[in-house]
Amino acid sequence: IESGARTGWTVYLPPLVQKRPARECEIKFIAPQVEDPLVYLSKMDKKSKKKWKRRAYACVYSAGKTCHSQVEADFEDRRWKKITKPRKHKEGGFRTWDATFVLTDWEMLEKLRVREPETFYQLYYEREGTTYLNALVGAEDLGGSLNKQFASRRRLADRGGCKFNLLKIQSPHYDTSVDSDCVELETSLAKSSDSKKNFVVQKFVKGQDSPEVLTSSSISSGKNPCKDGSTSAWDQTPTIVWEGMSKPLLLPQKRSFDVRSYMLIGSTMPFMVFFRRGYIRTSSAEFRSSNKNNYEPHRFDKSTEFMSLAEFQTYLAHNKIAGGHYVDTLLVSAMKQIALFTFHAARQKIERRR
C-alpha cells in the first residue's frame, strides 16, 4: 500500500498478498483443523533431495460411480494423492477408510451402515476431525428423490401452519395418498379451462426414470392417480402429481430454462450453511407445450448452454419483462429464502459430525 500525506504513511509497504510459494516447498502446509491427516511422502526431488508431504483422498461410491473428473483435477492441482482402492486396516478391532478426504454420497453411506456397520461407525463417527466427508447421512431430503424432497418440505410447511402450495416455492404439487391433496387436484382440474394443460405424474417405478405426462382431459377421463391409489410397488412411495407450466417465461429462440444455485453445508457443529447465486441453464431445443419431454424434471441436467445472472438481468430489462434490478433485489433474495427453507426442512434428519 502506497499512501499519501492524508493518512500519515511515509513509506512504501510491500503487497499484503505474496506470490504463491514455489512447488519446491520443503513441506506442504496442512490445515490445523485436521487432527491426524494421512500423509504420503512423494518421490525425492533430485534438486533439493527432499521428499514432499501430500494428503490423500479416496472415492467411495456404489458400482458404476466414480469421482467427477473436474473434482479429481482440483485435487491434483492441490497435490493430493488419490488412493484408487482405499486400504482397510485394523484400528481398535474395527476397519476404517485410510484417507484424509473421502468423496462419497449419502446412498453409499447408507449401504455401509447396513452392510458394514463397524466400518461405517469408524468412518462417520470415530474419525470426526480426522477424515473429511463430502456427504452427510440424512441428506437425502436435500438431494434425494423428488418424492422425499417434497415430503420433507411439506412437513415443515405443515408444522408452520400453512399449506405448501401457497408458498409458491415450486409449481403446485399433490400427494395422491393425502385426501386433501386429491380434493385440491380435482378443484384445479375443474377450474382449468385448458383441456390440454399438462400435469406431470411422478410415479417411482424401479427401472423407470422418466415420469408420465398427462393432460387435464386424460386425467379427468379416467387416469386420475388419486382414484386408483397407485404407489410404487418396490417401496410403496405415493405418486406425486404436479402442474406443468404450459406458458413459462422463455429466453431467446423460445428456450426454457432453470436457475442452478448452490447451497453448501460447511459444518454441522455448529451448522454453517452457505449460498451461491449460480447461473441459468437453458434447454437445447425450442419449448413446445405439446412436447411432453419439456416437462421432464431432469431435462436441464445435461444442458451445455448457460447464461450468467447478469446476462439474464440484461435480457429482462431490455425486453421490459422486469426492472433493471429485479435479479439483485427480488430474485436472489427469494432464492436465498427458498434455500433456507429447504435446509430447515431436512435439518432434523441430518446426522451431525465435525
Side-chain angles (χ1 to χ4, degrees):
I1 301 174
E2 185 176 14
S3 52
R6 292 185 179 180
T7 56
W9 292 104
T10 58
V11 296
Y12 175 77
L13 300 179
L16 299 179
V17 180
Q18 302 289 343
K19 184 179 179 181
R20 180 179 176 180
R23 192 177 183 88
E24 292 76 23
C25 295
E26 182 174 351
I27 296 178
K28 179 67 178 175
F29 174 73
I30 296 177
Q33 64 265 31
V34 182
E35 297 173 358
D36 184 25
L38 175 69
V39 178
Y40 279 87
L41 293 178
S42 62
K43 296 181 180 179
M44 183 175 294
D45 185 87
K46 294 181 180 180
K47 293 182 179 180
S48 61
K49 295 182 180 181
K50 295 176 181 178
K51 294 183 178 181
W52 316 116
K53 288 188 175 182
R54 304 177 67 190
R55 283 191 192 170
Y57 74 98
C59 297
V60 184
Y61 288 99
S62 303
K65 290 185 179 181
T66 59
C67 283
H68 195 282
S69 58
Q70 291 180 343
V71 174
E72 291 197 10
D74 182 64
F75 273 106
E76 291 298 323
D77 289 341
R78 299 170 187 268
R79 290 170 247 164
W80 283 52
K81 177 181 176 63
K82 180 181 180 181
I83 305 178
T84 54
K85 293 183 178 180
R87 297 183 299 164
K88 296 177 181 179
H89 60 83
K90 293 291 182 178
E91 187 174 290
F94 299 117
R95 294 180 297 177
T96 183
W97 299 101
D98 202 7
T100 306
F101 204 126
V102 175
L103 296 166
T104 183
D105 55 27
W106 60 268
E107 293 178 307
M108 188 61 191
L109 290 176
E110 288 291 349
K111 288 182 180 180
L112 275 178
R113 174 148 62 175
V114 174
R115 299 175 183 177
E116 300 183 49
E118 294 178 345
T119 299
F120 170 80
Y121 183 80
Q122 278 284 338
L123 174 64
Y124 202 83
Y125 294 109
E126 291 296 325
R127 294 183 68 86
E128 285 184 316
T130 300
T131 297
Y132 287 120
L133 293 177
N134 68 324
L136 294 167
V137 173
E140 59 268 26
D141 285 356
L142 284 173
S145 69
L146 297 179
N147 272 28
K148 289 185 177 181
Q149 293 182 45
F150 170 61
S152 66
R153 296 167 192 173
R154 181 195 180 101
R155 285 194 298 268
L156 179 59
D158 290 342
R159 289 200 300 268
C162 59
K163 293 185 177 180
F164 176 75
N165 286 337
L166 294 180
L167 298 176
K168 296 184 179 180
I169 291 178
Q170 54 199 87
S171 59
H173 278 52
Y174 308 98
D175 185 342
T176 58
S177 65
V178 180
D179 293 338
S180 60
D181 279 21
C182 287
V183 172
E184 289 185 22
L185 177 58
E186 292 287 351
T187 303
S188 178
L189 291 171
K191 290 181 179 180
S192 177
S193 59
D194 184 3
S195 61
K196 296 183 179 180
K197 185 175 182 179
N198 291 295
F199 286 80
V200 181
V201 180
Q202 184 76 60
K203 181 179 180 181
F204 288 87
V205 180
K206 198 168 186 178
Q208 178 180 329
D209 297 328
S210 301
E212 184 180 8
V213 180
L214 302 174
T215 61
S216 301
S217 58
S218 60
I219 293 179
S220 301
S221 62
K223 289 189 175 182
N224 191 333
C226 277
K227 295 183 178 180
D228 61 18
S230 58
T231 59
S232 300
W234 61 287
D235 65 352
Q236 296 302 306
T237 302
T239 300
I240 302 298
V241 180
W242 73 83
E243 296 182 21
M245 298 179 65
S246 57
K247 294 182 179 180
L249 173 65
L250 299 177
L251 295 177
Q253 301 179 349
K254 296 183 179 181
R255 302 293 179 87
S256 58
F257 67 94
D258 75 346
V259 182
R260 183 74 167 177
S261 59
Y262 297 89
M263 178 176 64
L264 170 67
I265 300 178
S267 170
T268 59
M269 289 186 178
F271 272 118
M272 295 178 64
V273 184
F274 301 90
F275 171 82
R276 183 167 180 171
R277 295 164 43 131
Y279 54 90
I280 301 290
R281 299 188 300 184
T282 63
S283 61
S284 58
E286 179 181 325
F287 177 85
R288 294 173 183 245
S289 59
S290 59
N291 186 352
K292 295 183 178 181
N293 291 331
N294 287 317
Y295 301 96
E296 210 279 327
H298 304 291
R299 61 190 179 278
F300 297 105
D301 287 355
K302 297 182 179 180
S303 176
T304 58
E305 300 182 30
F306 311 100
M307 174 187 291
S308 68
L309 288 179
E311 293 173 325
F312 181 57
Q313 175 61 81
T314 301
Y315 170 77
L316 295 177
H318 284 182
N319 291 274
K320 299 181 179 180
I321 300 174
H325 298 282
Y326 169 77
V327 171
D328 293 332
T329 58
L330 295 178
L331 180 60
V332 173
S333 176
M335 288 163 58
K336 287 181 180 179
Q337 292 181 41
I338 293 173
L340 189 61
F341 179 90
T342 302
F343 164 72
H344 282 298
R347 178 175 180 171
Q348 291 184 342
K349 285 192 173 182
I350 295 176
E351 294 193 25
R352 304 168 72 174
R353 75 189 299 269
R354 286 187 294 160

